[in-house]
mmCIF file of all heavy atoms in Angstrom:
data_model
loop_
_atom_site.group_PDB
_atom_site.id
_atom_site.type_symbol
_atom_site.label_atom_id
_atom_site.label_comp_id
_atom_site.label_asym_id
_atom_site.label_seq_id
_atom_site.Cartn_x
_atom_site.Cartn_y
_atom_site.Cartn_z
ATOM 1 N N GLN J 99 1.036 -14.459 6.485
ATOM 2 C CA GLN J 99 1.748 -15.540 5.753
ATOM 3 C C GLN J 99 3.245 -15.114 5.447
ATOM 4 O O GLN J 99 4.009 -15.967 5.255
ATOM 5 C CB GLN J 99 0.955 -16.005 4.597
ATOM 6 C CG GLN J 99 -0.272 -16.734 5.044
ATOM 7 C CD GLN J 99 -1.122 -17.125 3.814
ATOM 8 O OE1 GLN J 99 -0.700 -18.088 3.185
ATOM 9 N NE2 GLN J 99 -2.175 -16.530 3.658
ATOM 10 N N THR J 100 3.341 -13.729 5.252
ATOM 11 C CA THR J 100 4.745 -13.272 5.159
ATOM 12 C C THR J 100 5.587 -13.520 6.371
ATOM 13 O O THR J 100 6.802 -13.860 6.281
ATOM 14 C CB THR J 100 4.681 -11.793 4.787
ATOM 15 O OG1 THR J 100 3.932 -11.600 3.644
ATOM 16 C CG2 THR J 100 6.095 -11.238 4.304
ATOM 17 N N LEU J 101 4.937 -13.161 7.533
ATOM 18 C CA LEU J 101 5.701 -13.385 8.793
ATOM 19 C C LEU J 101 6.021 -14.916 9.029
ATOM 20 O O LEU J 101 7.023 -15.212 9.487
ATOM 21 C CB LEU J 101 4.824 -12.920 10.062
ATOM 22 C CG LEU J 101 4.605 -11.386 10.042
ATOM 23 C CD1 LEU J 101 3.766 -11.111 11.277
ATOM 24 C CD2 LEU J 101 5.839 -10.554 9.887
ATOM 25 N N VAL J 102 5.043 -15.746 8.614
ATOM 26 C CA VAL J 102 5.172 -17.170 8.725
ATOM 27 C C VAL J 102 6.519 -17.676 7.856
ATOM 28 O O VAL J 102 7.348 -18.415 8.354
ATOM 29 C CB VAL J 102 3.987 -17.968 8.169
ATOM 30 C CG1 VAL J 102 4.216 -19.424 7.996
ATOM 31 C CG2 VAL J 102 2.810 -17.758 9.186
ATOM 32 N N LYS J 103 6.622 -17.056 6.749
ATOM 33 C CA LYS J 103 7.850 -17.385 5.983
ATOM 34 C C LYS J 103 9.116 -16.884 6.558
ATOM 35 O O LYS J 103 10.030 -17.577 6.405
ATOM 36 C CB LYS J 103 7.524 -16.582 4.558
ATOM 37 C CG LYS J 103 8.414 -17.069 3.431
ATOM 38 C CD LYS J 103 7.771 -18.105 2.692
ATOM 39 C CE LYS J 103 8.521 -18.548 1.381
ATOM 40 N NZ LYS J 103 8.010 -19.761 0.821
ATOM 41 N N ILE J 104 9.054 -15.694 7.231
ATOM 42 C CA ILE J 104 10.251 -15.241 7.801
ATOM 43 C C ILE J 104 10.531 -15.824 9.086
ATOM 44 O O ILE J 104 11.792 -16.284 9.419
ATOM 45 C CB ILE J 104 10.117 -13.678 8.079
ATOM 46 C CG1 ILE J 104 9.927 -12.995 6.696
ATOM 47 C CG2 ILE J 104 11.305 -13.100 8.680
ATOM 48 C CD1 ILE J 104 9.380 -11.542 6.873
ATOM 49 N N PHE J 105 9.658 -16.011 9.942
ATOM 50 C CA PHE J 105 9.877 -16.597 11.257
ATOM 51 C C PHE J 105 9.324 -17.994 11.313
ATOM 52 O O PHE J 105 8.184 -18.266 11.777
ATOM 53 C CB PHE J 105 9.113 -15.745 12.380
ATOM 54 C CG PHE J 105 9.504 -14.236 12.293
ATOM 55 C CD1 PHE J 105 8.621 -13.289 11.957
ATOM 56 C CD2 PHE J 105 10.793 -13.942 12.763
ATOM 57 C CE1 PHE J 105 9.089 -12.025 11.798
ATOM 58 C CE2 PHE J 105 11.222 -12.506 12.687
ATOM 59 C CZ PHE J 105 10.354 -11.627 12.229
ATOM 60 N N ASP J 106 10.078 -18.868 10.818
ATOM 61 C CA ASP J 106 9.632 -20.244 10.496
ATOM 62 C C ASP J 106 9.634 -21.145 11.904
ATOM 63 O O ASP J 106 9.093 -22.282 11.844
ATOM 64 C CB ASP J 106 10.279 -20.951 9.389
ATOM 65 C CG ASP J 106 11.745 -20.865 9.479
ATOM 66 O OD1 ASP J 106 12.191 -20.456 10.629
ATOM 67 O OD2 ASP J 106 12.443 -21.322 8.533
ATOM 68 N N ASP J 107 10.124 -20.625 12.970
ATOM 69 C CA ASP J 107 10.289 -21.472 14.104
ATOM 70 C C ASP J 107 9.336 -21.122 15.182
ATOM 71 O O ASP J 107 9.287 -21.782 16.313
ATOM 72 C CB ASP J 107 11.692 -21.283 14.707
ATOM 73 C CG ASP J 107 12.011 -19.829 15.084
ATOM 74 O OD1 ASP J 107 11.480 -18.942 14.435
ATOM 75 O OD2 ASP J 107 12.991 -19.506 15.923
ATOM 76 N N ILE J 108 8.423 -20.100 15.040
ATOM 77 C CA ILE J 108 7.486 -19.805 16.097
ATOM 78 C C ILE J 108 6.052 -19.653 15.467
ATOM 79 O O ILE J 108 5.989 -19.273 14.171
ATOM 80 C CB ILE J 108 7.794 -18.532 16.912
ATOM 81 C CG1 ILE J 108 8.056 -17.444 15.995
ATOM 82 C CG2 ILE J 108 8.968 -18.853 17.840
ATOM 83 C CD1 ILE J 108 8.225 -16.101 16.805
ATOM 84 N N PRO J 109 5.102 -19.830 16.057
ATOM 85 C CA PRO J 109 3.733 -19.680 15.595
ATOM 86 C C PRO J 109 3.325 -18.202 15.271
ATOM 87 O O PRO J 109 3.756 -17.280 16.009
ATOM 88 C CB PRO J 109 2.762 -20.142 16.674
ATOM 89 C CG PRO J 109 3.512 -21.125 17.503
ATOM 90 C CD PRO J 109 4.915 -20.505 17.407
ATOM 91 N N VAL J 110 2.717 -17.890 14.185
ATOM 92 C CA VAL J 110 2.271 -16.490 13.982
ATOM 93 C C VAL J 110 0.710 -16.689 13.899
ATOM 94 O O VAL J 110 0.279 -17.413 13.048
ATOM 95 C CB VAL J 110 2.779 -16.052 12.465
ATOM 96 C CG1 VAL J 110 2.305 -14.648 12.345
ATOM 97 C CG2 VAL J 110 4.316 -15.966 12.426
ATOM 98 N N ILE J 111 0.081 -15.942 14.772
ATOM 99 C CA ILE J 111 -1.389 -16.056 15.051
ATOM 100 C C ILE J 111 -2.045 -14.851 14.475
ATOM 101 O O ILE J 111 -1.679 -13.677 14.843
ATOM 102 C CB ILE J 111 -1.633 -16.279 16.416
ATOM 103 C CG1 ILE J 111 -0.923 -17.522 16.907
ATOM 104 C CG2 ILE J 111 -3.125 -16.211 16.782
ATOM 105 C CD1 ILE J 111 -0.662 -17.500 18.265
ATOM 106 N N PRO J 112 -3.236 -15.003 13.694
ATOM 107 C CA PRO J 112 -3.926 -13.873 13.187
ATOM 108 C C PRO J 112 -4.740 -13.413 14.207
ATOM 109 O O PRO J 112 -5.619 -14.117 14.997
ATOM 110 C CB PRO J 112 -4.662 -14.452 11.970
ATOM 111 C CG PRO J 112 -4.952 -15.857 12.365
ATOM 112 C CD PRO J 112 -3.692 -16.327 13.105
ATOM 113 N N ALA J 113 -4.815 -12.061 14.296
ATOM 114 C CA ALA J 113 -5.771 -11.311 15.279
ATOM 115 C C ALA J 113 -6.965 -10.774 14.515
ATOM 116 O O ALA J 113 -7.891 -10.320 15.131
ATOM 117 C CB ALA J 113 -5.008 -10.194 16.151
ATOM 118 N N LEU J 114 -6.802 -10.728 13.136
ATOM 119 C CA LEU J 114 -7.983 -10.217 12.439
ATOM 120 C C LEU J 114 -8.445 -11.288 11.545
ATOM 121 O O LEU J 114 -7.847 -12.205 11.131
ATOM 122 C CB LEU J 114 -7.402 -9.131 11.436
ATOM 123 C CG LEU J 114 -6.703 -7.837 11.844
ATOM 124 C CD1 LEU J 114 -6.539 -6.836 10.717
ATOM 125 C CD2 LEU J 114 -7.532 -7.207 12.973
ATOM 126 N N ASN J 115 -9.759 -10.993 11.276
ATOM 127 C CA ASN J 115 -10.309 -11.812 10.087
ATOM 128 C C ASN J 115 -10.153 -10.809 8.835
ATOM 129 O O ASN J 115 -10.786 -9.807 8.753
ATOM 130 C CB ASN J 115 -11.818 -12.057 10.292
ATOM 131 C CG ASN J 115 -11.970 -13.157 11.443
ATOM 132 O OD1 ASN J 115 -11.233 -14.049 11.465
ATOM 133 N ND2 ASN J 115 -12.866 -12.900 12.290
#
Side-chain angles (χ1 to χ4, degrees):
Chain J
Q99 290 178 75
T100 304
L101 296 185
V102 165
K103 194 94 175 170
I104 298 166
F105 305 109
D106 55 3
D107 58 334
I108 53 171
V110 181
I111 297 153
L114 297 190
N115 290 320

